[in-house]
Amino acid sequence: MGRRLRRGALAAVLVVLAAAVVVALVERRGPEAKPLPGTPLRELASQAGLRIGTAVDDTALQREPGYREVLAQQFSSVTAENVMKWGALAAERGRYDFTAADRLVDFALGRGMRVRGHALVWWNQLPTWVRDGEWTRRTLRQEVRQHVRTTLEHFGERVPVWDAVNEPLDDRGRLRDDLLGRVLGDGWVEDVLRTARTYAPEAQLVLNETAADGLNAKSDGMYRLVRGLLARGVPLDGVGFQLHTNLDGVPAGFRRNLERFAALGLDVEVTEADVALRTPASERAERAQARVYAQAVRDCRAVPRCRGFTVWGFTDRHSWIPGTQPGFGEATLLDAELRAKPAFRAVQRALR
Ligand code: XIL
């Protein structure tokens, strides 16, 4: 009797365990793609003469069929959220691992999407051996050049546009006081751009910046930097505006800011848009969020040289906001179940 009872208990435990494994596997595969309303964003964007892009999370790309389906159906451009950063490509000195980055490039090219390279040189997410290394100007410059070369030669024409330098400035609009600036001196931005042009003569080279979206001290600094670079004949094709925002809205002077860079003869684009909400968000907040997204798209469309609009993730299931801004989230166009939020329809309308 005791033995039978024990067997019964064991069987029950096994059933529960098996069920838990099934639930975990289903969860791992993410939500199914449901039909989204209206015309796909990429079609609307193409009619409007621009690319609509998104950051892509590598884990989701690998595991979640619904994520892949919506990604390919709605977007015409992708940016690697993490896997093309220096620290991700060369965690160990002298050894590159392009597996994850190539996975994204293959996916994108197979579905007629363009890849934005992100980012060749950035103060953040550097390999630890770079960040903690002991460098002289000569040795660090050598490593930076070598990295730019290795990366560009690897991807070649498959990645036609690069955030060559990401976030060079501090809040006051001066070159950041970080490892790169301190060791290499102010000329480092120019050196990266020239090196990039050497190894990718056809690629579009972009300076990408955060919190320089509106007219402010930082974007003024960016403007001075860019004008100086162009005056010296440094290769530069575009400026990227990240546009991470919240219900404060599109920063004041955003459109005029895009216009002044475009007037220098450069392309401009929105590279990382998201609109963070306090969580859990009310319907009212979602509607306000929709208006912010729509405004941003309309401002980009109003500037002929604004060639692309990229969001930093397209589903609340995969967004960097909750992890970096506790209390905030729900910052993207689709909810965690891949259903359209008001912001999705608002972007569709703004693209029409
Ligand atoms: C973020 C990613 O979304 C996170 O997953 C990662 O932990 C940190 O970096 N500006 C950029 C992006 O240029 O590369 C950053 O991406 C967000 C801010």
Side-chain angles (χ1 to χ4, degrees):
M1 188 66 192
R3 182 180 295 172
R4 207 186 273 172
L5 208 69
R6 273 205 302 278
R7 266 204 210 137
L10 186 64
V13 166
L14 285 178
V15 166
V16 168
L17 274 180
V21 168
V22 169
V23 167
L25 283 176
V26 168
E27 163 64 13
R28 207 178 127 101
R29 289 173 59 82
E32 267 175 45
K34 299 111 198 142
L36 287 165
T39 312
L41 299 177
R42 63 184 288 177
E43 229 171 285
L44 296 170
S46 144
Q47 283 155 20
L50 47 109
R51 288 202 168 75
I52 181 99
T54 179
V56 176
D57 177 278
D58 180 58
T59 308
L61 184 70
Q62 287 186 68
R63 294 183 184 166
E64 301 185 7
Y67 180 95
R68 286 196 292 269
E69 191 178 327
V70 173
L71 171 62
Q73 174 193 84
Q74 297 291 330
F75 296 92
S76 51
S77 168
V78 294
T79 305
E81 184 167 358
N82 286 299
V83 298
M84 287 189 190
K85 293 169 181 175
W86 193 352
L89 294 178
E92 266 178 69
R93 186 172 192 175
R95 248 197 68 210
Y96 275 79
D97 182 353
F98 289 107
T99 315
D102 285 339
R103 172 159 49 233
L104 176 60
V105 174
D106 291 343
F107 178 88
L109 297 188
R111 285 157 182 84
M113 307 161 101
R114 185 164 93 141
V115 184
R116 296 191 77 257
H118 175 82
L120 283 178
V121 183
W122 184 26
W123 64 272
N124 200 1
Q125 293 182 286
L126 287 168
T128 48
W129 61 267
V130 173
R131 197 192 61 205
D132 303 337
E134 295 222 2
W135 304 105
T136 64
R137 180 178 287 212
R138 202 181 53 79
T139 57
L140 185 58
R141 191 169 54 204
Q142 186 53 33
E143 291 295 343
V144 169
R145 287 181 179 169
Q146 194 54 49
H147 169 64
V148 169
R149 175 180 187 167
T150 305
T151 306
L152 293 176
E153 286 185 341
H154 174 80
F155 293 106
E157 284 164 9
R158 297 186 300 153
V159 179
V161 48
W162 278 94
D163 290 331
V165 172
N166 194 28
E167 302 180 353
L169 302 175
D170 67 19
D171 287 343
R172 291 181 303 176
R174 309 189 194 172
L175 283 176
R176 293 174 58 96
D177 177 29
D178 58 15
L179 173 77
L180 298 162
R182 274 199 304 275
V183 177
L184 300 176
D186 284 359
W188 75 269
V189 172
E190 170 169 350
D191 197 66
V192 168
L193 290 167
R194 289 193 189 280
T195 308
R197 180 62 95 230
T198 302
Y199 297 108
E202 306 296 328
Q204 203 195 345
L205 304 178
V206 174
L207 280 188
N208 192 44
E209 188 52 275
T210 187
D213 311 300
L215 289 168
N216 56 37
K218 194 168 187 179
S219 65
D220 287 350
M222 189 67 160
Y223 188 75
R224 285 192 300 272
L225 172 66
V226 164
R227 234 184 13 197
L229 292 168
L230 294 175
R232 290 199 302 283
V234 178
L236 176 66
D237 305 292
V239 179
F241 300 89
Q242 295 187 6
L243 203 65
H244 294 290
T245 188
N246 52 37
L247 291 188
D248 291 346
V250 174
F254 175 58
R255 189 186 296 191
R256 275 183 296 144
N257 194 35
L258 297 184
E259 280 165 351
R260 69 171 164 167
F261 285 93
L264 296 174
L266 297 172
D267 283 340
V268 294
E269 63 183 303
V270 173
T271 53
E272 308 187 9
D274 52 16
V275 181
L277 303 179
R278 254 181 214 295
T279 50
S282 64
E283 278 178 33
R284 194 193 158 104
E286 287 193 354
R287 286 196 298 272
Q289 176 184 55
R291 290 193 291 275
V292 178
Y293 269 107
Q295 184 63 49
V297 171
R298 282 198 301 268
D299 282 338
C300 171
R301 286 195 66 186
V303 180
R305 298 224 40 182
C306 187
R307 311 278 195 201
F309 191 94
T310 289
V311 293
W312 206 242
F314 63 89
T315 160
D316 291 341
R317 185 175 161 87
H318 300 287
S319 159
W320 73 310
I321 297 293
T324 35
Q325 278 177 253
F328 286 82
E330 300 185 37
T332 76
L333 302 178
L334 307 180
D335 70 12
E337 294 298 317
L338 299 175
R339 287 178 303 233
K341 291 160 59 181
F344 178 80
R345 298 166 200 267
V347 168
Q348 284 179 319
R349 280 195 297 275
L351 286 171
R352 266 193 203 290

